[in-house]
Amino acid sequence: NSAAPFFTSWVNQQLPLLLTPEQIEVGGLKIRTSLNLDWQVQAKQIIRNLAKKQLQGAMVSIEPQTGFVRVLIGGKDFEFNQFNRATQAYRSPGSTFKLFPYIAAINSGFKPEDVFLDIPKCWDDYCPKNFENKYMGNVSLTDALKNSLNIVAIELLETIGFDQVISIANRLGVGNIQKLGKYYPLAIGAYEQTVLEMTAAYAGVANRGFYFQPTPFEEIRGPGDVLLWSYSVNHPKGLQAIKVEVADIINWMLQQVVKDGTGNVASLKSRAVAGKTGTSEGGRDLWFIGSIPQ
């Protein structure tokens, strides 16, 4: 019955977090959600156009200042397959996970212009490679992120330490359900996450470090139009997950990724775009997470 079945099925799953079993059983609920139906229809068409043949896709759009989920697509065709790839599929985020080592580095006092050495290197028996085996030698953190260099991301993890990187990811809503392990491949996306969780983390950075848990609810009314829950009254407080100045630097670095780095195809002439690409092992998962100032 729904014009946005992936979204409304997620709403149903989230309802028990706000209402009692009795309230749900009684029914008669009127739920005002955060969905932008026009955007949802456009997003659905984009997924269908770009995910050809056996490929699947997912898309999430979040308003950073509130955590409102405006778009949530979990696959090409809900009638054919109800599995929600936006909220239920744990996939390797690839280089989109590099966000967290870089935040930890800037938070620890490193600057975007600080230089690291990008050459082939092993950590015990772990010998990662850059994409197409290309190495840049002495490279600034800005250029390392722009070119998505694996070696530098792992160097940052080693320098800053696992605890700081994992703590920042947790504060931005990542790794609290599927725990993150203290292994070097962590830096380049070895631990699987959902599209929704990763999008919400990036939304927190776009919102100057202030993180909101993603929500589909604006208001819930029960029988007799009685107000049961309202975002403006009941919503949980957000969290200043990272310092404002750290978030601003990271957002500027992510803008360079789109301006003339791996995310260039997402650039817009009319406004600044910040974002990061990610590719999992063998190109199994292809990610882009980005934001605009508005």
Side-chain angles (χ1 to χ4, degrees):
N1 259 0
S2 173
F6 281 113
F7 182 85
T8 49
S9 67
W10 179 55
V11 168
N12 279 333
Q13 291 162 3
Q14 296 291 300
L15 259 184
L17 300 178
L18 300 183
L19 301 184
T20 66
E22 291 75 24
Q23 285 173 319
I24 294 173
E25 194 175 324
V26 166
L29 301 174
K30 189 194 299 178
I31 301 169
R32 186 154 60 90
T33 75
S34 56
L35 184 72
N36 183 318
L37 188 57
D38 179 44
W39 291 3
Q40 180 85 356
V41 169
Q42 290 183 54
K44 182 178 180 180
Q45 202 53 53
I46 289 166
I47 294 287
R48 286 187 169 177
N49 290 347
L50 295 181
K52 302 293 187 186
K53 298 182 181 175
Q54 300 304 309
L55 291 176
Q56 277 289 353
M59 192 186 297
V60 170
S61 176
I62 294 176
E63 186 176 275
Q65 297 81 6
T66 58
F68 285 147
V69 175
R70 299 301 190 189
V71 169
L72 191 143
I73 304 278
K76 275 197 295 194
D77 190 340
F78 186 83
E79 288 183 18
F80 177 71
N81 186 328
Q82 288 85 49
F83 182 62
N84 193 329
R85 290 160 190 83
T87 62
Q88 294 175 298
Y90 280 86
R91 311 287 291 213
S92 168
S95 292
T96 61
F97 194 89
K98 289 174 184 170
L99 177 72
F100 307 115
Y102 276 85
I103 290 173
I106 299 299
N107 191 57
S108 297
F110 285 98
K111 297 180 174 61
E113 63 269 22
D114 285 344
V115 172
F116 277 68
L117 186 58
D118 179 45
I119 56 173
K121 183 176 176 180
C122 291
W123 285 263
D124 297 324
D125 294 332
Y126 177 55
C127 301
K129 296 179 172 62
N130 283 343
F131 182 66
E132 294 184 336
N133 272 330
K134 291 180 179 174
Y135 300 90
M136 298 180 68
N138 287 324
V139 63
S140 70
L141 284 184
T142 299
D143 286 343
L145 184 63
K146 196 162 69 175
N147 292 283
S148 202
L149 304 177
N150 290 337
I151 300 297
V152 175
I154 300 166
E155 284 271 14
L156 287 176
L157 176 63
E158 181 181 46
T159 303
I160 306 302
F162 288 99
D163 289 341
Q164 283 199 55
V165 173
I166 291 172
S167 173
I168 282 168
N170 291 167
R171 287 170 68 81
L172 286 164
V174 170
N176 295 314
I177 298 171
Q178 297 275 83
K179 299 300 181 185
L180 303 170
K182 295 181 181 182
Y183 301 97
Y184 287 115
L186 167 75
I188 56 176
Y191 286 87
E192 296 173 336
Q193 311 299 328
T194 67
V195 172
L196 180 63
E197 288 169 350
M198 289 299 295
T199 308
Y202 273 74
V205 175
N207 193 36
R208 306 194 76 191
F210 203 79
Y211 171 82
F212 284 102
Q213 192 168 346
T215 181
F217 299 110
E218 291 197 17
E219 185 180 273
I220 304 173
R221 291 185 176 271
D225 210 35
V226 173
L227 183 66
L228 300 180
W229 187 92
S230 163
Y231 181 89
S232 58
V233 176
N234 305 97
H235 78 277
K237 297 283 188 290
L239 170 71
Q240 190 71 51
I242 57 176
K243 297 174 192 168
V244 170
E245 55 270 27
V246 172
D248 288 349
I249 291 169
I250 292 292
N251 212 50
W252 176 83
M253 292 172 73
L254 290 171
Q255 287 178 356
Q256 309 318 303
V257 173
V258 176
K259 191 177 174 186
D260 52 9
T262 59
N264 181 251
V265 73
S267 62
L268 298 171
K269 289 179 181 175
S270 58
R271 62 191 70 182
V273 181
K276 184 76 189 75
T277 54
T279 308
S280 67
E281 197 72 32
R284 183 168 177 261
D285 305 281
L286 305 173
W287 294 68
F288 178 76
I289 312 178
S291 66
I292 54 174
Q294 295 78 7

